[in-house]
Amino acid sequence: MDQFLQAIQNSITTGSLYALIALGYTMVYGILKFINFSHSDVVVIGALFSTVLALTLLEKLGLQQAPWWLGGVVLAGAMALCATVSFLVERLAYRPLRQAPRLNCLITAIGVSLFLQNTGNQKFLFGTQPRKIPALVPDAEPLFMIGKVPFRLIDFIIVGTAVVLMVALDRLVFKSAMGRAMRAVSFDHKTASLMGINVDRVISMTFVLGACLAAAGGFLYALRYQTVTQPADTTWALLGLKAFVSAVVGGIGNIRGAVLGALIIASIENFGAAYLFSGLTDAYVFAVLIGMLLLRPGGILGSAAVEKV
Amino acid sequence: MPEATAGAPTTATPTPTGGGGAVLEVRDLVVNYGAVRALHGVSLSVARGEIVTLIGCNGAGKSTTLRTISGLLRPVSGSVRFEGEPLAKVPAHEIVRRGVVQCPEGRGVFANLTVDENLELGAYTRNDDHAADRERALTLFPRLRERLRQNAGTLSGGEQQMLAMARALLARPKLLLLDEPSLGLAPQIVQTIFSIIREINASGTTILLVEQNAHMALTVAHRAYVLEVGRIAMEGPAATLAASDEVRKAYLGIG
């Protein structure tokens, strides 16, 4: 029973992290029909910058213990930086390729990813040493226990923040004029521009939104796992891949699908680890991906592989 | 461009020719579509209050002309002026704001959005209250009112065409560009669509109508241009063209 409860708890927490990251992949795919491989590097920037910012702020303020609001400030800072980086990447690397074949965009995305990793690794930026984020929330004792399963404040913060952000995004996409424009652009760029929609601006907005969620993902990841490794570390690539797989499983291009996919992938990982071999968690995830691509390539909520011409 | 005052107040039904100055002035337009030259120097003009039709066969360059006016394609040379202002460097979304609104060919509706959301997108450029225009559009196309909550992709071809036109009206166009509104529709629906085109025009909207259905187009239009492989082959009052032997043979299948 404890094992089951623990697996559920882990699934929801890691699922929330994956979902925040998966949304960025799925939104960009929905609008530009290519996989933005540099998205996971935006997550890294979010995690590392949060860490550096938290350390610096604590030092500058001369505090030992983080005040309650510091987490919010750090998150806002990380979002601002990630949004800027993502905006610039789109503006400088992807926009010139708007009329180019999608393969060109894909290769460029890989290039941007390598660029961000290796720039981030430089001494004058984040360097190659792992960093430890200071405790921004009191986390010495679990809030309460059910059986032998501890419930920690940090897990509630992760899930709570993720839920708030995802509901906000859902409202924005499905209820606002901006969201309507985003969905119109995702259907067809030219027809959207005939409505008077500035397609380039909508695309920029999409990258900025995705980056804000990625920053939150990176920040919460750092809070939960505390040690944040260097930008080119494989941990990040794997984190990005799992979020990407979540988006594919849920139906790439579908916002609610990304969240559903993330919860499924996290469950497969955690239940696989709990009840099968724990050393094969990554293998389970990719086995599910392969199965999904074979049986239902459009994903769970995706439309059944209709290619628009 | 100064208004040529022909004595007609704006509320009056526009006379077929010369009701006002040219709102749209297309001159020597040369446009490539991909690697192919689609237009070889097309010139045409539309005066305020007119319905002008551009007829021609498949591939004559009709849609290319409209796309260039809307800013989706850029000309190799030549110019497009709207209300005297050149549109060459104006982005497509900005052209809509100026009042040139295109109702695109075929399934130009957002199939993944509801009918209601499609209509709202029509009014995307407007900051004023558009409830009255929405009401007017739904009165013109009562079928849409029953389907407001439905995804546009579930509509029939005729309903999609109606939605596309209603949506274009919500942008409150000064010049409405209609690309093949009769394409693939049953004859009865074509009749409905064309009578609505007349109504829209009667309420003061200038219309440039691209059609393959020359018969219907020449019936509603005041003036017409015949486009043949990227060139204007003939032009004149619609009634005159409809009576001419060449048009009757080539486009009306008579004679």
mmCIF file of all heavy atoms in Angstrom, chain A residues 258-282:
data_model
loop_
_atom_site.group_PDB
_atom_site.id
_atom_site.type_symbol
_atom_site.label_atom_id
_atom_site.label_comp_id
_atom_site.label_asym_id
_atom_site.label_seq_id
_atom_site.Cartn_x
_atom_site.Cartn_y
_atom_site.Cartn_z
ATOM 1 N N ALA A 258 -0.862 17.218 -23.866
ATOM 2 C CA ALA A 258 0.484 17.257 -23.301
ATOM 3 C C ALA A 258 0.440 16.978 -21.799
ATOM 4 O O ALA A 258 1.276 16.250 -21.255
ATOM 5 C CB ALA A 258 1.132 18.612 -23.574
ATOM 6 N N VAL A 259 -0.557 17.544 -21.124
ATOM 7 C CA VAL A 259 -0.673 17.350 -19.681
ATOM 8 C C VAL A 259 -1.023 15.889 -19.384
ATOM 9 O O VAL A 259 -0.419 15.248 -18.516
ATOM 10 C CB VAL A 259 -1.729 18.301 -19.092
ATOM 11 C CG1 VAL A 259 -1.889 18.069 -17.608
ATOM 12 C CG2 VAL A 259 -1.339 19.750 -19.379
ATOM 13 N N LEU A 260 -1.965 15.369 -20.145
ATOM 14 C CA LEU A 260 -2.359 13.968 -19.980
ATOM 15 C C LEU A 260 -1.171 13.048 -20.241
ATOM 16 O O LEU A 260 -0.880 12.137 -19.449
ATOM 17 C CB LEU A 260 -3.505 13.651 -20.952
ATOM 18 C CG LEU A 260 -4.032 12.230 -20.933
ATOM 19 C CD1 LEU A 260 -4.704 11.928 -19.604
ATOM 20 C CD2 LEU A 260 -5.022 12.008 -22.079
ATOM 21 N N GLY A 261 -0.465 13.298 -21.337
ATOM 22 C CA GLY A 261 0.708 12.497 -21.685
ATOM 23 C C GLY A 261 1.756 12.530 -20.585
ATOM 24 O O GLY A 261 2.353 11.506 -20.240
ATOM 25 N N ALA A 262 1.956 13.696 -19.992
ATOM 26 C CA ALA A 262 2.965 13.847 -18.937
ATOM 27 C C ALA A 262 2.599 12.984 -17.731
ATOM 28 O O ALA A 262 3.456 12.306 -17.154
ATOM 29 C CB ALA A 262 3.075 15.306 -18.532
ATOM 30 N N LEU A 263 1.329 12.979 -17.369
ATOM 31 C CA LEU A 263 0.908 12.170 -16.213
ATOM 32 C C LEU A 263 1.064 10.673 -16.522
ATOM 33 O O LEU A 263 1.477 9.893 -15.663
ATOM 34 C CB LEU A 263 -0.532 12.499 -15.828
ATOM 35 C CG LEU A 263 -0.692 13.888 -15.175
ATOM 36 C CD1 LEU A 263 -2.159 14.254 -15.021
ATOM 37 C CD2 LEU A 263 0.021 13.937 -13.830
ATOM 38 N N ILE A 264 0.778 10.313 -17.767
ATOM 39 C CA ILE A 264 0.915 8.903 -18.147
ATOM 40 C C ILE A 264 2.383 8.476 -18.109
ATOM 41 O O ILE A 264 2.728 7.447 -17.524
ATOM 42 C CB ILE A 264 0.317 8.670 -19.554
ATOM 43 C CG1 ILE A 264 -1.206 8.819 -19.489
ATOM 44 C CG2 ILE A 264 0.706 7.297 -20.095
ATOM 45 C CD1 ILE A 264 -1.880 8.765 -20.837
ATOM 46 N N ILE A 265 3.231 9.295 -18.718
ATOM 47 C CA ILE A 265 4.654 8.948 -18.764
ATOM 48 C C ILE A 265 5.228 8.872 -17.353
ATOM 49 O O ILE A 265 5.965 7.934 -17.005
ATOM 50 C CB ILE A 265 5.422 9.989 -19.621
ATOM 51 C CG1 ILE A 265 5.038 9.833 -21.095
ATOM 52 C CG2 ILE A 265 6.928 9.853 -19.442
ATOM 53 C CD1 ILE A 265 5.329 8.467 -21.676
ATOM 54 N N ALA A 266 4.875 9.842 -16.505
ATOM 55 C CA ALA A 266 5.383 9.833 -15.135
ATOM 56 C C ALA A 266 4.889 8.601 -14.389
ATOM 57 O O ALA A 266 5.636 7.987 -13.617
ATOM 58 C CB ALA A 266 4.961 11.103 -14.415
ATOM 59 N N SER A 267 3.651 8.195 -14.632
ATOM 60 C CA SER A 267 3.118 7.010 -13.962
ATOM 61 C C SER A 267 3.847 5.757 -14.414
ATOM 62 O O SER A 267 4.189 4.894 -13.590
ATOM 63 C CB SER A 267 1.629 6.834 -14.257
ATOM 64 O OG SER A 267 0.942 7.998 -13.929
ATOM 65 N N ILE A 268 4.073 5.663 -15.725
ATOM 66 C CA ILE A 268 4.771 4.485 -16.240
ATOM 67 C C ILE A 268 6.153 4.379 -15.604
ATOM 68 O O ILE A 268 6.577 3.307 -15.163
ATOM 69 C CB ILE A 268 4.886 4.577 -17.774
ATOM 70 C CG1 ILE A 268 3.512 4.298 -18.377
ATOM 71 C CG2 ILE A 268 5.907 3.593 -18.313
ATOM 72 C CD1 ILE A 268 3.377 4.750 -19.785
ATOM 73 N N GLU A 269 6.823 5.516 -15.521
ATOM 74 C CA GLU A 269 8.147 5.548 -14.919
ATOM 75 C C GLU A 269 8.105 5.101 -13.463
ATOM 76 O O GLU A 269 8.843 4.217 -13.040
ATOM 77 C CB GLU A 269 8.625 7.000 -14.954
ATOM 78 C CG GLU A 269 9.913 7.196 -15.638
ATOM 79 C CD GLU A 269 10.353 8.641 -15.482
ATOM 80 O OE1 GLU A 269 9.579 9.497 -14.998
ATOM 81 O OE2 GLU A 269 11.480 8.892 -15.840
ATOM 82 N N ASN A 270 7.220 5.713 -12.695
ATOM 83 C CA ASN A 270 7.227 5.477 -11.258
ATOM 84 C C ASN A 270 6.647 4.126 -10.880
ATOM 85 O O ASN A 270 7.147 3.478 -9.968
ATOM 86 C CB ASN A 270 6.493 6.615 -10.543
ATOM 87 C CG ASN A 270 7.342 7.873 -10.539
ATOM 88 O OD1 ASN A 270 8.425 7.898 -9.974
ATOM 89 N ND2 ASN A 270 6.876 8.904 -11.235
ATOM 90 N N PHE A 271 5.599 3.719 -11.580
ATOM 91 C CA PHE A 271 5.050 2.389 -11.276
ATOM 92 C C PHE A 271 5.987 1.308 -11.774
ATOM 93 O O PHE A 271 6.140 0.269 -11.132
ATOM 94 C CB PHE A 271 3.639 2.243 -11.838
ATOM 95 C CG PHE A 271 2.610 2.880 -10.967
ATOM 96 C CD1 PHE A 271 2.232 4.204 -11.166
ATOM 97 C CD2 PHE A 271 2.058 2.175 -9.905
ATOM 98 C CE1 PHE A 271 1.300 4.800 -10.341
ATOM 99 C CE2 PHE A 271 1.128 2.769 -9.072
ATOM 100 C CZ PHE A 271 0.745 4.084 -9.288
ATOM 101 N N GLY A 272 6.639 1.564 -12.933
ATOM 102 C CA GLY A 272 7.633 0.625 -13.433
ATOM 103 C C GLY A 272 8.762 0.461 -12.429
ATOM 104 O O GLY A 272 9.198 -0.657 -12.147
ATOM 105 N N ALA A 273 9.187 1.574 -11.868
ATOM 106 C CA ALA A 273 10.283 1.528 -10.906
ATOM 107 C C ALA A 273 9.843 0.812 -9.633
ATOM 108 O O ALA A 273 10.610 0.092 -9.012
ATOM 109 C CB ALA A 273 10.756 2.940 -10.585
ATOM 110 N N ALA A 274 8.593 1.008 -9.243
ATOM 111 C CA ALA A 274 8.116 0.435 -7.991
ATOM 112 C C ALA A 274 7.834 -1.060 -8.118
ATOM 113 O O ALA A 274 8.123 -1.824 -7.207
ATOM 114 C CB ALA A 274 6.860 1.173 -7.532
ATOM 115 N N TYR A 275 7.275 -1.472 -9.249
ATOM 116 C CA TYR A 275 6.802 -2.850 -9.338
ATOM 117 C C TYR A 275 7.605 -3.723 -10.300
ATOM 118 O O TYR A 275 7.493 -4.933 -10.270
ATOM 119 C CB TYR A 275 5.328 -2.868 -9.735
ATOM 120 C CG TYR A 275 4.443 -2.307 -8.654
ATOM 121 C CD1 TYR A 275 3.964 -1.005 -8.717
ATOM 122 C CD2 TYR A 275 4.112 -3.083 -7.537
ATOM 123 C CE1 TYR A 275 3.169 -0.486 -7.712
ATOM 124 C CE2 TYR A 275 3.323 -2.575 -6.529
ATOM 125 C CZ TYR A 275 2.846 -1.281 -6.618
ATOM 126 O OH TYR A 275 2.064 -0.778 -5.625
ATOM 127 N N LEU A 276 8.385 -3.104 -11.196
ATOM 128 C CA LEU A 276 9.214 -3.893 -12.107
ATOM 129 C C LEU A 276 10.675 -3.579 -11.769
ATOM 130 O O LEU A 276 10.972 -3.194 -10.651
ATOM 131 C CB LEU A 276 8.874 -3.556 -13.561
ATOM 132 C CG LEU A 276 7.408 -3.818 -13.966
ATOM 133 C CD1 LEU A 276 7.091 -3.158 -15.288
ATOM 134 C CD2 LEU A 276 7.149 -5.321 -14.051
ATOM 135 N N PHE A 277 11.554 -3.696 -12.749
ATOM 136 C CA PHE A 277 12.954 -3.358 -12.468
ATOM 137 C C PHE A 277 13.117 -1.847 -12.426
ATOM 138 O O PHE A 277 12.743 -1.154 -13.371
ATOM 139 C CB PHE A 277 13.875 -3.922 -13.552
ATOM 140 C CG PHE A 277 13.790 -5.413 -13.650
ATOM 141 C CD1 PHE A 277 13.135 -6.004 -14.709
ATOM 142 C CD2 PHE A 277 14.352 -6.222 -12.665
ATOM 143 C CE1 PHE A 277 13.032 -7.383 -14.803
ATOM 144 C CE2 PHE A 277 14.252 -7.593 -12.748
ATOM 145 C CZ PHE A 277 13.591 -8.179 -13.818
ATOM 146 N N SER A 278 13.691 -1.335 -11.349
ATOM 147 C CA SER A 278 13.808 0.110 -11.228
ATOM 148 C C SER A 278 14.905 0.664 -12.130
ATOM 149 O O SER A 278 14.953 1.849 -12.409
ATOM 150 C CB SER A 278 14.066 0.505 -9.777
ATOM 151 O OG SER A 278 15.251 -0.113 -9.336
ATOM 152 N N GLY A 279 15.792 -0.220 -12.600
ATOM 153 C CA GLY A 279 16.878 0.266 -13.447
ATOM 154 C C GLY A 279 16.433 0.540 -14.879
ATOM 155 O O GLY A 279 17.180 1.109 -15.670
ATOM 156 N N LEU A 280 15.215 0.149 -15.201
ATOM 157 C CA LEU A 280 14.782 0.243 -16.600
ATOM 158 C C LEU A 280 13.734 1.329 -16.835
ATOM 159 O O LEU A 280 13.041 1.311 -17.847
ATOM 160 C CB LEU A 280 14.226 -1.110 -17.059
ATOM 161 C CG LEU A 280 15.241 -2.225 -17.252
ATOM 162 C CD1 LEU A 280 14.544 -3.517 -17.660
ATOM 163 C CD2 LEU A 280 16.266 -1.849 -18.315
ATOM 164 N N THR A 281 13.620 2.276 -15.906
ATOM 165 C CA THR A 281 12.532 3.267 -16.030
ATOM 166 C C THR A 281 12.538 3.978 -17.371
ATOM 167 O O THR A 281 11.486 4.173 -17.981
ATOM 168 C CB THR A 281 12.590 4.326 -14.917
ATOM 169 O OG1 THR A 281 13.904 4.821 -14.859
ATOM 170 C CG2 THR A 281 12.187 3.734 -13.584
ATOM 171 N N ASP A 282 13.734 4.350 -17.835
ATOM 172 C CA ASP A 282 13.787 5.072 -19.114
ATOM 173 C C ASP A 282 13.313 4.178 -20.259
ATOM 174 O O ASP A 282 12.635 4.633 -21.175
ATOM 175 C CB ASP A 282 15.207 5.561 -19.400
ATOM 176 C CG ASP A 282 15.673 6.519 -18.323
ATOM 177 O OD1 ASP A 282 14.804 7.083 -17.621
ATOM 178 O OD2 ASP A 282 16.896 6.699 -18.160
#
